Amino acid sequence: MLAALAASAADAPPAGKPVDTAQAMRDRMDRNVDGKISLEEYRNAMVRRFGARDANDDGVLDGAEFPQEWLAGADVQEATGKVSFEQFSAELPLVFDGFDADHDGQLDAAETAAFAGARKIREESRP
Amino acid sequence: MNHSRTLTMLSLSGLLLCASIAQASTVTCESSNGSYQSCPADGSKGVRLARQLSTQGCWKDDTWGYDTNRIWVDRGCRAEFQVGAQATGSADKGNAAAAAAVVGIVAAAAIIASSHDDDHHRNNYDRKYDRKYDRKYDPYYDRTYDRNYGRGYDDRYSDRYDNRYHESSRYGYNGYGGDPRRTFSCESRGDRRSYCDIPRRGHVEVYKQRSLSPCTYGRSWGVEGSSVWVKDGCRAEFAVY
């Protein structure tokens, strides 16, 4: 619980420093340093991120682990407020394919940028 | 009469079930305690990693692979594999909340990374973490660990979803968004092994492969006690989780 609170406090952007999400994705995920993110690179990083986010280690993101603002602009009727590891891992390839515009199994610079900007766009599309 | 018809229908549905399994089946294969494991499977028509169950890495031809009669996993990789005929077009319609979590985690992790991205912060973090770690967690860790293995680099304690050891939670500090606690480089010269010290306890994986020659676990890189070795041109940055 304390760890979960610490995590959400750490989510606050540092003052005056723009966050380059696309660059952060490449830094973290691009294992073979080819400038692109493969499904395998993305899957490994994302499974780790789920594990790190799941502060109480119960295999479900809920409460402070899953900020409800993430649902902004998403097509969710009733906010369930939780996502299981099973749901998360089933969704990983679907989200990847959604941003892999040319379907070559890799996110290039433009596709990574679209992924990185997705949350912002969703929030802005909020009714 | 009725009875026998029921039986016939039962055995028919059993046959149908078998037929669909033969077309494409799922095999779960698990490297427990970070050791090599092979699982019987018909790999002649291909194998696809369908779902990764371990936070420890599953990298094809490095920590998992297959041949005509087995799937193998190593270094803590645990996953469900789809064997044989490829499913064409997922029937899965998707889950909007899960999709929002995927996109949300990427954005949140980037923010965390940017707040830790200079050395000053990273060093501060490490000091803080090490202090906490040494005082609180080490006694138990060393006791259990040394009794069983004698060395300080057991994979059991650093995975979240493999075996659900309670101990693992202690290592799940989530301020780093699943980023490595430390990285270090190791470069091979020629075909002899070069050794590099692992700077802290934890599970080690290839983080960035900098060489054209592949870094393949057990073949061109490996872990021996508190060192990583590399050879055959493998040059990489390694991550400690």
Side-chain angles (χ1 to χ4, degrees), chain B residues 99-110:
Chain B
V102 170
V103 172
I105 275 185
V106 166

Side-chain angles (χ1 to χ4, degrees), chain A residues 27 40 43 51-52 54, chain B residues 52 58 60 160-161 174 208:
Chain A
D27 288 347
E40 181 180 49
R43 186 194 67 223
D54 180 17
Chain B
Q52 181 171 337
C58 291
K60 188 163 180 292
R160 309 293 305 281
Y161 294 105
N174 65 0
K208 306 274 180 192

